[in-house]
Amino acid sequence: MKPKLSISFVFAHFIAFLTVIMPVHSQVTKHFDNYSGLSSQRVGGGIQDKNGLMWFATWNGLNCYDGYDFHWVNIKPGDNVGISTGRLRDILLSPEGNIWCHTDNGIYEFNLSTYTFREIPLKKQKAIGKHMGKNWRGLTDTQGNLWTADREGLYLTSFPHHPASIIKGTEGEWPRAFAIDNIGYLWMSMCNSHCIKVFDTYGNITRTITLDTAPYAMLPMQNGRVWVGGKPGRLLRIEANGQQTVVSDDIVYDIKEDIEGHLWIATFGGGIKVCETPDGTPVSVSPPIKGTKGMKVRRLLITPSGNIFATTTEGLLAGRIDDKHWQGTSLKLIKRDASNANSLSNNATMDLVQDSKGNIYVGTESSGIDMISEKDLMQCVNGGQQPVFRHFNVNNSSLTSDLCKAMTIANDSLIVVVAGDNVTAFNPITDQSVNYGRIFWSDSVCFEETKPLILKDGSWILGTHEGALLASAHSLYSRGYVPPLVFTTLAIKDGGADFCLVPLNEISLQADQRSITIGYAALDYTDNSGILYRSRLDGSTWCSASKNRSITLFNLSAGSHTLELQSTDRYGRWVDNNRIITITVAPYWYETWWAKLLFLLTALAIIAGITYTYLYIRKVNLQRRQLLEKYMKVLARTMETGTESRIQTPKLRITTGKETKTLSAEDTRFLDRVRKYIDQNISNPDANVGDMAEAAAASRSTLNRHLHSLLGISASQLLIEARMQRARQLLAKRDETEYSIAHIAEKCGYYDTHYFQRAFKQKHGVSPSEWNNREKDEE
């Protein structure tokens, strides 16, 4: 009888087998010449400076290489140095960290703090010359790369390797599902070879089960049976002795078991089906459950609380398993709503996982990951409000790809997200991620939609077109070479990019230099194709990661700004190589403190002037209203008594606040002449402004201007106001005089009674008759 092994024992042996697979190192040689950016193919020597940059002496000046571009440095007219040629025979790193350059007419120093040449005393040249002038035999940089040269140019020989390795026995296979059975054996389904391979705890293939379908899903059971679903359509039950039973001809993408022992089958085109008695004979599956008929279902999730969720090409299915009778289970389809920013981001959903806090993460085909709590999602299913998803994508999170082929939970707060050629360890709680790019895995990796398998020691197994890839915990979480990050070029406004930033930590800009472009590079000469960069200004949120090696800052405000950069290593993992540069922008004169103070004082003066003007105008208008009221009372008394020749306009006094104003004698006489004219012509329909001006001994314009200055109204308005006042007087005495409306209109200077009535109503809001009645009611 085969001895029974503990799970911990078999895992220990299995992990030991997997971790002995070491990455294979390869040798890569690159050739650089004029077409690569080298200023001359004749290279006389090379060094690596304290910043990590490579410098090469050529027959056409110095060449600096940052792993991406060659930057040419040569003598310039007017540089105040006696060097007469750019043909450099050899270079050497000085003790101070500068570059000694050997030319045909002497040795000169290139200062790496100022990026300028300077002369060296003759005595010191002789001492240095003893170490220069020899044939260059190449150099090895700090990464172990070999640099050599010949007449055809420069050569870089590097030794890249991939931390991840293909598990022996899976080379060239397409693993689509992984599973660990109850004795610790690893099961892998191989799509291209239509088989399942079983590995024991020593890494040996113990069984190869041939199938008549490409296996897409696999579920080992406690009784030794294994359920397999594939494409073209096949659902199989494989006994412990290898016997295969065809259960249905559905295209199966996933299989899950609930707490009652029922199997839930995700079919691609047939919805979700259930096998109620997986151990029965014969065995069968149900028709599609309610709400899923004809749907293409990719992945299932059954939660401990008894809810079921599924990703489909049409959206997300959600519902509760009917624990009394599974056929009563009904699922609701949740789709993207273009008018709702909080809805599902994409109907093409690929995979889903749940963390220990009850949050569900939905991976989409091209819109990143959506998060929602199980409780909130079920409230929507039960007729509540629309679900509110939180979206994670390349624009608002640390994810580097919006494609999600598959996911799994590595630990409580870490999700392993599989994209096209990279895998990301994403923490949605802290929004931190570690990206493992193509270089980490292989030269031409293409991941399948295989759900990753996380081993107990933290190692990962993933499915690719090249086979099953293993990434040990050590390779995933340890850091090797950290590429130094350097600033390289600077372009101000619309000017060209100058290679000048490497030694600088500060940039000073003039007031009109508000837009700049800064170039940078992480120095990895072995392989920098997978390095990503991100930046932030003045402590803001990091921008999205990309391979861009320059940033343009537009319309910088005056003052000091801090630009911070960070990069990944060659495998796509963020490393602690942050670089900071301070950018100081001089202010325009109107941005200085004294100009701002002047603007403030000017604004206060303008506000004070406007306030004073407003209050003055308000005061003058109040005086005019008071004077008009008093003047109209005098005019009314004159018309009432008929003694206009004996009543003189008194000296009118106007009080506003604490100030009392008395009209001048001249103004009093002027108003008296106007009053007399109005009194004498109140019933004259031909009375006009011209006659009034003549009676007041003034021109028409002077009359109007003077009346408006004193009373706030024009001469014609004053005449109308006097006639309306006279009409009110006569209406008040209508019972005594028995005047008709027509007679009153005539006494007020109106030929047309109807016109008088309209004018009165327009002035007082009621007709003359209604006015008279209202006056009686008030008495």
Side-chain angles (χ1 to χ4, degrees):
M1 180 180 291
K2 189 173 181 178
K4 187 176 181 179
L5 303 176
S6 68
I7 296 296
S8 59
F9 176 80
V10 295
F11 259 109
H13 281 277
F14 182 62
I15 293 170
F17 153 71
L18 293 177
T19 53
V20 298
I21 305 176
M22 298 301 293
V24 177
H25 293 253
S26 59
Q27 177 177 312
V28 176
T29 300
K30 297 179 182 179
H31 176 228
F32 305 103
D33 55 17
N34 295 124
Y35 295 100
S36 308
L38 200 62
S39 63
S40 172
Q41 295 183 180
R42 298 299 297 272
V43 178
I47 58 120
Q48 186 173 23
D49 69 17
K50 61 182 179 181
N51 294 307
L53 289 163
M54 303 302 301
W55 293 84
F56 300 99
T58 76
W59 285 21
N60 187 16
L62 276 172
N63 281 239
C64 180
Y65 185 60
D66 60 14
Y68 300 93
D69 303 308
F70 284 95
H71 303 276
W72 180 47
V73 179
N74 201 7
I75 58 175
K76 299 177 181 179
D79 57 10
N80 296 318
V81 65
I83 185 172
S84 60
T85 176
R87 178 179 291 190
L88 305 182
R89 299 290 186 176
D90 191 10
I91 56 175
L92 188 65
L93 193 65
S94 75
E96 297 79 19
N98 296 318
I99 302 176
W100 288 331
C101 303
H102 182 258
T103 70
D104 290 339
N105 66 333
I107 299 175
Y108 298 85
E109 184 176 66
F110 184 71
N111 191 318
L112 289 179
S113 297
T114 61
Y115 276 36
T116 57
F117 288 97
R118 64 186 180 189
E119 298 182 3
I120 299 175
L122 184 60
K123 183 178 181 180
K124 188 175 181 179
Q125 287 190 43
K126 292 181 179 180
I128 297 172
K130 297 177 182 179
H131 306 283
M132 305 185 73
K134 302 175 182 179
N135 291 332
W136 187 53
R137 299 182 180 276
L139 69 89
T140 301
D141 63 28
T142 54
Q143 293 178 253
N145 302 306
L146 179 61
W147 299 83
T148 57
D150 61 17
R151 290 180 176 271
E152 303 301 322
L154 182 66
Y155 298 88
L156 166 62
T157 302
S158 57
F159 306 92
H161 70 276
H162 308 291
S165 302
I166 297 176
I167 296 176
K168 184 179 180 181
T170 69
E171 300 89 343
E173 300 280 9
W174 295 0
R176 191 54 188 263
F178 304 122
I180 301 290
D181 65 17
N182 58 350
I183 62 172
Y185 282 16
L186 172 64
W187 292 61
M188 295 189 191
S189 65
M190 308 299 184
C191 282
N192 58 335
S193 58
H194 289 203
C195 72
I196 293 175
K197 292 184 178 181
V198 184
F199 295 81
D200 65 15
T201 57
Y202 298 98
N204 301 313
I205 300 176
T206 62
R207 296 172 62 188
T208 299
I209 304 172
T210 303
L211 308 171
D212 62 352
T213 185
Y216 272 53
M218 188 169 51
L219 179 66
M221 308 291 285
Q222 289 295 321
N223 56 14
R225 289 192 177 106
V226 177
W227 284 78
V228 177
K231 180 181 180 181
R234 192 71 82 235
L235 177 62
L236 302 172
R237 187 178 70 180
I238 303 176
E239 307 295 336
N241 60 8
Q243 181 184 350
Q244 300 181 20
T245 301
V246 178
V247 179
S248 75
D249 59 356
D250 294 299
I251 300 174
V252 178
Y253 268 37
D254 199 10
I255 308 171
K256 289 290 189 296
E257 182 181 15
D258 65 18
I259 58 175
E260 300 294 332
H262 302 148
L263 295 186
W264 295 76
I265 317 297
T267 73
F268 204 71
I272 299 176
K273 299 184 177 182
V274 180
C275 178
E276 186 176 8
T277 55
D279 295 330
T281 304
V283 62
S284 63
V285 297
S286 71
I289 66 172
K290 188 177 179 180
T292 70
K293 185 178 180 180
M295 300 190 73
K296 297 178 179 179
V297 185
R298 285 194 174 102
R299 201 81 78 190
L300 298 171
L301 172 65
I302 299 176
T303 66
S305 56
N307 297 319
I308 182 170
F309 306 96
T311 57
T312 77
T313 58
E314 302 174 41
L316 178 67
L317 287 169
R320 181 165 183 81
I321 296 176
D322 190 332
D323 52 6
K324 294 182 179 179
H325 191 47
W326 60 265
Q327 291 178 333
T329 300
S330 177
L331 300 184
K332 180 177 181 179
L333 182 62
I334 297 169
K335 306 184 69 173
R336 177 181 182 270
D337 184 353
S339 63
N340 183 2
N342 296 319
S343 70
L344 192 68
S345 63
N346 196 315
N347 287 338
T349 53
M350 301 292 293
D351 200 357
L352 72 172
V353 295
Q354 184 180 34
D355 64 18
S356 63
K357 298 179 178 62
N359 295 314
I360 293 175
Y361 301 89
V362 183
T364 69
E365 191 173 56
S366 58
S367 299
I369 298 172
D370 294 345
M371 181 186 81
I372 190 172
S373 72
E374 181 181 3
K375 178 181 177 181
D376 291 345
L377 192 53
M378 290 308 297
Q379 284 181 349
C380 168
V381 172
N382 296 327
Q385 61 183 4
Q386 291 298 313
V388 176
F389 290 91
R390 180 181 176 185
H391 306 301
F392 298 97
N393 53 54
V394 296
N395 295 320
N396 65 8
S397 73
S398 58
L399 287 174
T400 58
S401 174
D402 284 338
L403 171 62
C404 175
K405 286 189 171 183
M407 297 189 298
T408 195
I409 295 286
N411 57 49
D412 188 49
S413 58
L414 192 67
I415 303 174
V416 177
V417 184
V418 178
D421 64 351
N422 71 293
V423 178
T424 301
F426 176 58
N427 188 326
I429 307 301
T430 62
D431 190 29
Q432 294 180 343
S433 66
V434 178
N435 183 70
Y436 300 89
R438 177 180 58 83
I439 306 305
F440 184 89
W441 305 103
S442 69
D443 290 325
S444 57
V445 67
C446 181
F447 287 102
E448 294 276 3
E449 296 174 14
T450 312
K451 204 173 190 70
L453 179 64
I454 309 299
L455 302 180
K456 286 190 174 181
D457 74 333
S459 300
W460 302 353
I461 299 179
L462 301 105
T464 74
H465 283 187
E466 299 175 323
L469 278 173
L470 167 73
S472 68
H474 175 76
S475 65
L476 287 167
Y477 303 114
S478 64
R479 294 291 182 271
Y481 174 72
V482 176
L485 186 58
V486 297
F487 295 103
T488 54
T489 59
L490 171 66
I492 300 176
K493 294 181 69 173
D494 299 325
D498 294 326
F499 179 60
C500 61
L501 278 184
V502 176
L504 300 181
N505 293 315
E506 295 182 2
I507 301 174
S508 296
L509 301 176
Q510 299 300 318
D512 61 340
Q513 298 173 335
R514 298 300 176 96
S515 298
I516 63 172
T517 299
I518 296 176
Y520 42 84
L523 306 180
D524 189 332
Y525 303 110
T526 301
D527 192 340
N528 56 18
S529 60
I531 293 180
L532 300 175
Y533 300 87
R534 62 184 181 181
S535 62
R536 61 181 176 182
L537 185 66
D538 296 333
S540 60
T541 305
W542 289 105
C543 69
S544 299
S546 72
K547 293 186 178 181
N548 293 334
R549 294 185 295 105
S550 67
I551 181 173
T552 300
L553 305 175
F554 295 101
N555 299 322
L556 288 169
S557 60
S560 181
H561 302 275
T562 300
L563 175 65
E564 185 176 3
L565 294 175
Q566 186 183 21
S567 83
T568 66
D569 61 12
R570 76 185 68 149
Y571 306 119
R573 303 173 299 190
W574 295 109
V575 291
D576 187 16
N577 64 349
N578 299 44
R579 277 296 306 274
I580 295 176
I581 192 166
T582 301
I583 305 167
T584 303
V585 183
Y588 287 105
W589 69 267
Y590 52 79
E591 294 176 319
T592 58
W593 68 267
W594 55 266
K596 293 178 180 179
L597 179 59
L598 178 62
F599 293 152
L600 177 61
L601 294 176
T602 302
L604 292 175
I606 293 173
I607 294 172
I610 294 173
T611 303
Y612 173 79
T613 303
Y614 168 76
L615 294 176
Y616 175 77
I617 294 174
R618 183 179 177 184
K619 174 183 174 183
V620 170
N621 288 335
L622 178 61
Q623 291 175 346
R624 288 171 177 171
R625 285 195 300 270
Q626 290 180 357
L627 183 59
L628 178 62
E629 290 174 2
K630 294 184 176 181
Y631 185 72
M632 294 305 296
K633 288 180 180 179
V634 173
L635 183 59
R637 191 165 66 252
T638 302
M639 293 185 293
E640 179 73 21
T641 59
T643 56
E644 67 279 358
S645 59
R646 294 190 298 273
I647 297 178
Q648 300 295 321
T649 302
K651 290 187 177 181
L652 298 176
R653 291 181 175 84
I654 304 170
T655 302
T656 54
K658 297 181 179 180
E659 181 182 353
T660 300
K661 180 180 179 182
T662 303
L663 288 182
S664 65
E666 183 180 352
D667 289 339
T668 301
R669 288 192 296 272
F670 169 76
L671 291 176
D672 190 55
R673 290 193 294 270
V674 172
R675 177 182 58 79
K676 289 180 180 180
Y677 174 81
I678 293 175
D679 181 63
Q680 294 169 359
N681 293 275
I682 192 67
S683 60
N684 179 14
D686 294 325
N688 56 70
V689 175
D691 293 342
M692 186 187 297
E694 185 177 350
S699 65
R700 289 172 61 98
S701 59
T702 302
L703 174 67
N704 278 310
R705 186 173 63 253
H706 208 171
L707 284 176
H708 193 276
S709 174
L710 294 173
L711 306 178
I713 59 176
S714 64
S716 60
Q717 290 172 328
L718 179 60
L719 184 58
I720 293 172
E721 186 66 33
R723 284 174 169 167
M724 290 295 106
Q725 182 170 261
R726 182 59 176 161
R728 291 194 299 272
Q729 287 177 341
L730 295 175
L731 286 171
K733 295 181 179 182
R734 190 178 177 191
D735 291 340
E736 301 174 7
T737 61
E738 297 184 355
Y739 286 157
S740 65
I741 298 299
H743 187 67
I744 292 174
E746 183 180 350
K747 282 187 169 294
C748 294
Y750 291 95
Y751 282 129
D752 189 342
T753 303
H754 295 295
Y755 178 73
F756 164 69
Q757 289 177 323
R758 287 198 304 272
F760 190 91
K761 188 171 184 178
Q762 183 178 5
K763 171 68 176 178
H764 299 96
V766 294
S767 66
S769 298
E770 292 171 335
W771 175 274
N772 193 45
N773 293 333
R774 189 180 69 178
E775 291 293 316
K776 290 180 180 180
D777 292 339
E778 291 179 356
E779 292 177 0

